[in-house]
Amino acid sequence: QVCTWRPIWRAEDFVAMTIVDHEEDIVDSRELNWRIVNASNSSGSDPEPILEVVGQSLSGFNVVNCVTAAQRIYKAAKPSGGVDRSKMVVADPRWQDLQERLRLFLTDQVVPGAEPVPLTPHHYSLSLTAFVSLQIDNPQLLREVGYAATRRMHEFQPQHLANTVFSFASAGVDSEEIF
């Protein structure tokens, strides 16, 4: 495995790099987030540019990158001008890979090549909102993430709790732990 340091933006601004199998795959997590946000800003209501970044760089995504991409994708896929892109997104293999990587992070499983970033209630809340907004028909996924979130409920602010409960209620998924 390769672990390296390199300057980003300014010579005095050094950042830790994600450990990956191949040196050519090394990408800084802040750089990845910048690429996700830039793709989102330039695409308006088209999730395709964000999905392209996911397809190109998912192996280097940490939890923040995954949550940012999921949140930006669901916002871009929202119905506008009579066009609902959520079904196209949910069927896209790049979204499915992102969803699986995010599930691994949120359920505290080992994610190969991932930069360790502490999970926060914000990660759970935004992820569940993205899943439900895209009308993902996967109650097991919601239950798994919900169960993992309940272990941290004492850290949640009222807004995180409200978003989490609303996500489960909107999806029609019963979860004793959440409710």
Side-chain angles (χ1 to χ4, degrees), residues 35-89:
R35 288 172 46 199
I36 295 164
V37 171
N38 190 46
S40 170
N41 291 341
S42 67
S43 70
S45 62
D46 182 7
E48 182 58 32
I50 308 162
L51 288 167
E52 285 178 17
V53 174
V54 170
Q56 295 165 355
S57 305
L58 184 61
S59 65
F61 276 26
N62 65 18
V63 69
V64 174
N65 304 134
C66 287
V67 171
T68 301
Q71 188 245 2
R72 297 291 178 134
I73 288 168
Y74 99 75
K75 284 188 173 188
K78 280 199 276 188
S80 72
V83 179
D84 184 357
R85 295 173 179 81
S86 60
K87 287 180 180 31
M88 178 272 302
V89 167

Side-chain angles (χ1 to χ4, degrees), residues 124-125 127-130 132 142 162-173:
Y124 291 100
S125 175
S127 299
L128 288 166
T129 300
V132 171
L142 295 177
N163 290 349
T164 300
V165 170
F166 181 77
S167 293
F168 275 83
S170 296
V173 174

Side-chain angles (χ1 to χ4, degrees), residues 138-148 168 172-175 177:
N138 189 342
Q140 183 59 33
L141 169 68
L142 295 177
R143 284 189 191 100
E144 279 184 54
V145 174
Y147 178 76
F168 275 83
V173 174
D174 186 28
S175 173
E177 295 87 6

Side-chain angles (χ1 to χ4, degrees), residues 115-127:
E115 175 185 355
V117 175
L119 289 171
T120 68
H122 195 67
H123 296 134
Y124 291 100
S125 175
L126 282 179
S127 299

